[in-house]
Amino acid sequence: MLLIFAIPALAICLSYLMYFTGVFVPEGKTNKGQLILPPKSLSQLNLTQGDQTFSEANLEGRWAILVLGSKDCSSESCKEAMYQTRQAHIALGKETDRVVRTFIADEELSLSQSFQQEHPDIFWLKANKAGLLKELDLREWPTGRYFIVDPLGNVMMGYESAQYGGDLLKDLKRLLKASKIG
């Protein structure tokens, strides 16, 4: 009879020990990007589209991919990020309408017409460089880096410029599947 009560009690004590001391806790994670904790508000990035301020209202309740680049996107990392995010966006299939892409430069844009035609249905934005770097805790302008924004306007996950677009796709599919909004 004592053994019948001891085994569950031992299991409970062991679980408390593991939870409160961190011993034997698995380090596994499913996301490929780096979580931004706490998430940053899109409206605090001070983005503009032409003369208009850009905020989460412009997303119309959709998820967004933010790509940071230069005014002409001439660097290889910028072009690669635009290509990877476009391919991930297309690969979403029927979920494509739930996600919008944005390109953010730190200066007035001077993109070629052919480059803009390669990337249709995208918001072309300008940011206050110092403000954006401060909000996202970055030291320098990360050309080719991209981020995921949730439908509520929170920048919540980031990717390095050299990171494969398949990582973005996997995270987006998981987020869209779990999300009841956007």
Side-chain angles (χ1 to χ4, degrees):
M1 185 68 119
L2 185 60
L3 191 58
I4 291 174
F5 289 111
I7 291 175
L10 181 64
I12 291 171
C13 290
L14 190 58
S15 68
Y16 274 103
L17 176 73
M18 289 172 60
Y19 181 78
F20 289 110
T21 64
V23 178
F24 304 119
V25 177
E27 292 293 324
K29 62 178 186 165
T30 57
N31 59 300
K32 305 294 184 185
Q34 298 87 29
L35 287 174
I36 298 174
L37 296 172
K40 308 298 181 180
S41 174
L42 184 67
S43 60
Q44 294 188 347
L45 298 182
N46 298 322
L47 302 173
T48 57
Q49 183 180 25
D51 298 345
Q52 305 283 333
T53 301
F54 188 87
S55 68
E56 58 271 357
N58 296 92
L59 298 178
E60 300 171 349
R62 296 180 287 180
W63 291 83
I65 303 169
L66 303 179
V67 179
L68 300 181
S70 59
K71 67 178 182 175
D72 55 2
C73 197
S74 59
S75 71
E76 199 57 41
S77 62
C78 182
K79 290 178 184 177
E80 184 64 22
M82 289 296 286
Y83 174 77
Q84 294 287 346
T85 57
R86 180 184 65 201
Q87 295 306 100
H89 188 246
I90 292 168
L92 288 172
K94 66 180 181 178
E95 301 291 343
T96 300
D97 294 340
R98 294 179 64 192
V99 180
V100 66
R101 293 174 54 224
T102 63
F103 179 82
I104 303 171
D106 58 343
E107 302 175 72
E108 286 298 323
L109 295 171
S110 61
L111 299 166
S112 69
Q113 192 69 20
S114 63
F115 184 78
Q116 290 183 25
Q117 289 174 350
E118 286 179 36
H119 302 281
D121 302 324
I122 190 168
F123 289 107
W124 303 101
L125 307 174
K126 180 181 179 279
N128 175 320
K129 184 176 182 176
L132 189 133
L133 293 176
K134 181 182 176 212
E135 278 301 314
L136 294 178
D137 299 322
L138 301 169
R139 289 188 292 275
E140 60 184 32
W141 190 262
T143 298
R145 192 150 179 217
Y146 45 96
F147 298 86
I148 294 179
V149 179
D150 69 15
L152 301 175
N154 298 309
V155 181
M156 46 85 62
M157 193 175 291
Y159 299 85
E160 296 300 322
S161 58
Q163 202 161 355
Y164 177 61
D167 294 344
L168 172 67
L169 179 61
K170 287 177 186 174
D171 285 343
L172 275 173
K173 282 185 175 182
R174 191 172 293 114
L175 288 167
L176 291 171
K177 183 177 180 181
S179 174
K180 300 290 185 216
I181 57 174

